[in-house]
Amino acid sequence: MSSISNSRIARRRLLLALAAWPLAGLASSGPEILTAGFKRWGSGEFRRFGFLIYEATLWAAGEDPVRPPLALKLTYKRQIAGRDIAEASVKEIRNLGVADEARLKVWGEQMDRIFPDVRPGDHLIGVHLQEGARFFHNDRDVGKIADPAFARAFFAIWLDTRTSAPELRAALLKRPLS
């Protein structure tokens, strides 16, 4: 009887392992895989009307923190709807003047599908790669936009000299304000 029980247990374990095998890759597909070897450049706070909205931290793989690959982590201090995050991103890109309205509409729709609602303590990580951008919510992959022009425009929100948040840019890049 003991050998039959052991055999059943072994079979069950094998079946469970085989059933879980396709999901095993998901556990190692977090941002740490894409950002291995990156070094931290700087961090700062983003405030609107005196209220702390998020803390930001920038990591980069090379010696130039504005060239990909790089990653930006935003740790939210307020509850914000994903749609509002997408709309604010479109507005900021529009203000930089780096995309036409048709492209902004497409990007806005893509971000609206990807960006989740956030609560205080949640974080979003955007990884700027040569082929586009990939996004993570609390280290879970939530989507990508495979458009290098989008990735350049999106990360320009924080890193372009024309950003609406020059103090945050300086803190992220560890450069003094000019």
Side-chain angles (χ1 to χ4, degrees):
M1 183 84 135
S2 170
S3 65
I4 293 173
S5 294
N6 287 341
S7 175
R8 283 184 182 166
I9 291 171
R11 206 172 332 151
R12 271 194 191 147
R13 285 183 181 161
L14 177 62
L15 289 173
L16 286 172
L18 289 173
W21 179 65
L23 303 175
L26 295 176
S28 63
S29 65
E32 66 279 352
I33 298 299
L34 296 175
T35 59
F38 283 28
K39 65 180 178 181
R40 182 178 172 186
W41 277 86
S43 60
E45 297 178 338
F46 179 74
R47 294 178 178 272
R48 276 293 185 241
F49 307 113
F51 295 102
L52 179 59
I53 307 300
Y54 57 76
E55 294 173 346
T57 304
L58 177 68
W59 285 273
E63 293 304 313
D64 183 355
V66 297
R67 297 193 65 197
L70 59 93
L72 185 68
K73 178 180 183 180
L74 306 180
T75 302
Y76 286 85
K77 303 302 179 181
R78 304 206 161 279
Q79 186 168 328
I80 304 173
R83 168 165 272 142
D84 292 340
I85 296 169
E87 288 175 7
S89 299
V90 167
K91 179 183 174 191
E92 291 295 326
I93 294 170
R94 180 181 289 118
N95 290 341
L96 292 170
V98 296
D100 61 30
E101 286 302 314
R103 190 170 258 186
L104 285 171
K105 183 178 186 306
V106 170
W107 291 345
E109 291 167 354
Q110 291 173 314
M111 287 186 285
D112 192 37
R113 283 192 297 272
I114 291 173
F115 294 155
D117 298 345
V118 295
R119 297 180 310 222
D122 283 359
H123 61 268
L124 292 178
I125 298 175
V127 182
H128 183 182
L129 303 165
Q130 294 293 338
E131 64 274 10
R134 194 159 172 191
F135 297 96
F136 299 84
H137 174 243
N138 295 335
D139 299 327
R140 186 178 56 83
D141 191 341
V142 291
K144 65 182 177 180
I145 298 177
D147 180 348
F150 165 79
R152 286 189 300 275
F154 181 80
F155 289 93
I157 293 170
W158 295 272
L159 302 176
D160 192 278
T161 57
R162 298 166 294 169
T163 181
S164 66
E167 297 86 8
L168 178 55
R169 178 182 184 270
L172 291 172
L173 298 176
K174 293 186 179 177
R175 295 181 182 165
L177 292 172
S178 32

